[in-house]
Amino acid sequence: MASLKYTDQHEWVAVDGDTATVGITDYAQGQLGDVVFVELPDEGKSFAMGDQAAVVESVKAAAEVYAPISGEIVEVNEALNGKPELVNEDAIGDGWFFKISIDDETELDSLMDEKEYREFVKGLG
Amino acid sequence: MMTDLQETALHALHVSLGAKMVPFAGYSMPVQYPSGILAEHRHTRGQAGLFDVGHMGQARIHGTDAARAFEALVPGDIQGLEVDRTRYTQLTNDSGGIIDDLMVTRRGDHLFLVVNAACKEGDYAHIAGALPKDCRLELLEDRALIALQGPAAIAVVEGLSPGLSKLGFMSLADVTIGGIACTVSRSGYTGEDGVEISVANSAVEGLARTLLKDARVKPVGLGARDTLRLEAGLCLYGHDIDTTTTPIEAALAWSIGKRRRAEGGFAGAATILAQLANGAPRKRVGILPEGRVPVRDHADITDPAGAKIGTITSGGFGPSLDRPIAMGYVVAAQAGEGAPLGITVRDKKIPSKVARLPFVAHRYHKDR
């Protein structure tokens, strides 16, 4: 897999050709705790970078998941409907949320790489 | 804004157990340990969970007629309590609203109170200001409080303090556990059998470590405390009850004894007794939302026609039921079991029904 990109809202982005797979980071799932529900976007829906695209609910709280780049939803992870705990068990693998088309490749340049994200999380204390 | 958080006497233990600490009622408290809220909840229902509730307020009221004097502030029957028996009641204001809910135990020569952490300063000022001159409020700030809850809880403490299993529900006893002087109450906030243990701050870590040595005991944080009490249909102050809700609206009429109903003589009695006689305009009910979407507090409740008829006050996921559950207030006409409701979540209506409380049956000890 290509190296991951990250947002300051704790989404990860894996680029594969002209689409990107999106999920929440392991840090984010750890902060949320046990995930009990994920509200996924409709396939075919378009988002601008930074729009709210999904909601993840843990026992304690609901958190918004934002589109890390502009594009159209091409696939969602239906497995999360039956097994939302996949987000906890494998946040950057089986716990992915959706795949989105890459409308503007330059947006990817504004995201953090692995090292930058690690520093960012460290700065959160 | 940063404020200095207080710590309970078990802070170091929480940190050493890997707890995630969060601010709660002015204290740094464990919301969960590494096993997580769902596992901690299930462990409490299956075996025994150990909770730090040392942030709660403990106090005594001294005075020859303390029980009679205190009855002016609460609708519960305090004079009718036998020695070392405990009552759940509420501090009420003049309009019948709830200032706090609390446990009151009649000891030999005083009343023993346990009040909510977030309310304690206000409670103490209210109580001290209202007591007659021959009564005195004493704050027990050198005391910690822990709870051991679950079907194995009594067997665990019986092993350390033989005879404790004979303690009746809502009764209190002074005992030693592993050589440590404790005041033990058979009560709790999970719907399970268990105890709350008041002990000196200086001794609580040793006691907690002794209890945790038992394989049946695991530490449980505030996250699971909340899901456990919600399944048990128990009110959380500041969410399900506050100064704008009366005990009758809150479905706590069971906590007001016959004599108090007949005699009145407590703050807010005019409103509370009128609601007892004629019904309250709204009622706290259990709510089962359809599907998997958790509904949270502050969500609007609507009738089938879409008109707003109430608000969710506690809501989330019930691990023992493996589904969303909630409580909230609805207008009296829609408060019957099975009444259809809608809950608004992110601009969608979740079809829901009024459900019987508790969601999970209480398993309190029944005295023979």
Side-chain angles (χ1 to χ4, degrees), chain B residues 6 27 54-62 70 91 102 110-117 119-129 131 135-144 198-201:
Chain B
Q6 299 189 69
Y27 284 79
H55 57 317
M56 297 185 78
Q58 300 178 69
R60 292 179 181 137
I61 300 176
H62 300 275
F70 196 59
L91 288 166
L102 71 162
H110 65 270
L111 301 179
F112 173 57
L113 314 183
V114 178
V115 304
N116 281 303
C119 301
K120 60 185 177 184
E121 302 305 329
D123 290 354
Y124 296 154
H126 174 73
I127 293 167
L131 287 176
C135 289
R136 182 174 60 85
L137 179 69
E138 177 198 6
L139 311 189
L140 303 177
E141 290 178 321
D142 58 347
R143 302 288 286 184
S198 173
V199 58
N201 277 332

Side-chain angles (χ1 to χ4, degrees), chain B:
Chain B
M1 190 181 71
M2 293 292 289
T3 50
D4 286 339
L5 291 176
Q6 299 189 69
E7 293 173 358
T8 70
L10 288 177
H11 186 84
L13 177 64
H14 299 316
V15 171
S16 76
L17 292 170
K20 184 192 289 183
M21 305 300 289
V22 299
F24 181 83
Y27 284 79
S28 172
M29 297 297 291
V31 66
Q32 63 168 78
Y33 298 86
S35 61
I37 295 174
L38 293 179
E40 290 167 28
H41 176 112
R42 289 174 182 139
H43 187 83
T44 305
R45 291 264 185 259
Q47 300 252 15
L50 180 67
F51 303 75
D52 178 12
V53 283
H55 57 317
M56 297 185 78
Q58 300 178 69
R60 292 179 181 137
I61 300 176
H62 300 275
T64 46
D65 234 351
R68 179 192 300 274
F70 196 59
E71 281 196 350
L73 305 185
V74 300
D77 183 354
I78 309 303
Q79 294 188 75
L81 275 175
E82 290 173 39
V83 170
D84 288 344
R85 295 281 296 177
T86 304
R87 191 84 81 201
Y88 168 77
T89 189
Q90 308 85 34
L91 288 166
T92 45
N93 64 25
D94 289 340
S95 48
I98 301 173
I99 296 167
D100 196 7
D101 62 340
L102 71 162
M103 293 289 205
V104 182
T105 305
R106 188 166 198 171
R107 303 304 317 260
D109 59 353
H110 65 270
L111 301 179
F112 173 57
L113 314 183
V114 178
V115 304
N116 281 303
C119 301
K120 60 185 177 184
E121 302 305 329
D123 290 354
Y124 296 154
H126 174 73
I127 293 167
L131 287 176
K133 289 214 160 42
D134 58 352
C135 289
R136 182 174 60 85
L137 179 69
E138 177 198 6
L139 311 189
L140 303 177
E141 290 178 321
D142 58 347
R143 302 288 286 184
L145 194 66
I146 56 176
L148 189 68
Q149 300 279 298
I154 297 301
V156 170
V157 290
E158 174 72 20
L160 297 163
S161 186
L164 253 186
S165 62
K166 295 195 177 64
L167 188 65
F169 179 57
M170 295 293 269
S171 295
L172 198 91
D174 297 313
V175 301
T176 58
I177 299 179
I180 299 167
C182 302
T183 301
V184 178
S185 164
R186 193 149 189 181
S187 64
Y189 193 48
T190 60
E192 298 295 329
D193 192 7
V195 290
E196 291 195 349
I197 306 172
S198 173
V199 58
N201 277 332
S202 57
V204 69
E205 185 172 336
L207 177 61
R209 286 188 185 279
T210 299
L211 292 169
L212 287 168
K213 271 187 202 136
D214 193 305
R216 293 166 290 186
V217 178
K218 295 265 187 286
V220 178
L222 291 182
R225 184 167 162 84
D226 192 46
T227 54
L228 289 158
R229 70 91 197 166
L230 178 56
E231 286 186 345
L234 302 172
C235 291
L236 174 60
Y237 192 85
H239 291 256
D240 308 297
I241 49 176
D242 60 29
T243 53
T244 70
T245 62
T246 71
I248 311 308
E249 292 170 340
L252 300 172
W254 59 268
S255 67
I256 307 176
K258 207 169 159 185
R259 182 178 59 80
R260 302 305 317 273
R261 296 181 186 211
E263 294 177 1
F266 50 90
T271 302
I272 289 167
L273 295 180
Q275 288 187 350
L276 263 175
N278 309 317
R282 58 178 185 159
K283 196 183 167 206
R284 177 177 64 95
V285 295
I287 294 166
L288 283 176
E290 283 179 18
R292 305 295 298 175
V293 183
V295 305
R296 311 276 181 186
D297 56 340
H298 306 302
D300 285 347
I301 304 174
T302 54
D303 67 12
K308 184 180 171 183
I309 56 163
T311 305
I312 297 291
T313 52
S314 281
F317 188 77
S320 300
L321 292 92
D322 190 31
R323 60 168 299 162
I325 55 173
M327 299 196 297
Y329 283 83
V330 295
V331 295
Q334 294 284 331
E337 194 181 332
L341 308 170
I343 314 293
T344 311
V345 178
R346 295 186 284 276
D347 299 325
K348 287 184 204 126
K349 289 260 192 292
I350 311 289
S352 307
K353 277 196 169 65
V354 173
R356 185 192 299 266
L357 291 174
F359 295 107
V360 171
H362 294 162
R363 295 197 284 181
Y364 300 137
H365 175 64
K366 290 188 179 67
D367 304 357
R368 262 162 281 182

Side-chain angles (χ1 to χ4, degrees), chain A residues 30-37 39 52 55 57-62 81, chain B residues 20 31-32 36-39 223 226-227 292-294 296 316-317 346 348:
Chain A
Q31 289 294 306
L32 276 168
D34 296 315
V35 171
V36 295
F37 178 74
E39 188 172 282
Q52 186 191 319
V55 177
E57 301 232 21
S58 71
V59 179
K60 280 302 282 179
N81 290 329
Chain B
K20 184 192 289 183
V31 66
Q32 63 168 78
I37 295 174
L38 293 179
D226 192 46
T227 54
R292 305 295 298 175
V293 183
R296 311 276 181 186
F317 188 77
R346 295 186 284 276
K348 287 184 204 126

Side-chain angles (χ1 to χ4, degrees), chain A residues 14-82:
Chain A
V15 175
D16 181 17
D18 54 4
T19 66
T21 303
V22 177
I24 67 169
T25 65
D26 195 55
Y27 171 82
Q29 71 77 20
Q31 289 294 306
L32 276 168
D34 296 315
V35 171
V36 295
F37 178 74
V38 177
E39 188 172 282
L40 294 166
D42 294 332
E43 283 176 20
K45 197 163 178 202
S46 289
F47 293 99
M49 183 182 191
D51 283 354
Q52 186 191 319
V55 177
V56 54
E57 301 232 21
S58 71
V59 179
K60 280 302 282 179
E64 290 159 353
V65 177
Y66 301 95
I69 54 171
S70 304
E72 182 185 313
I73 302 298
V74 295
E75 191 180 345
V76 298
N77 186 2
E78 302 282 358
L80 297 183
N81 290 329

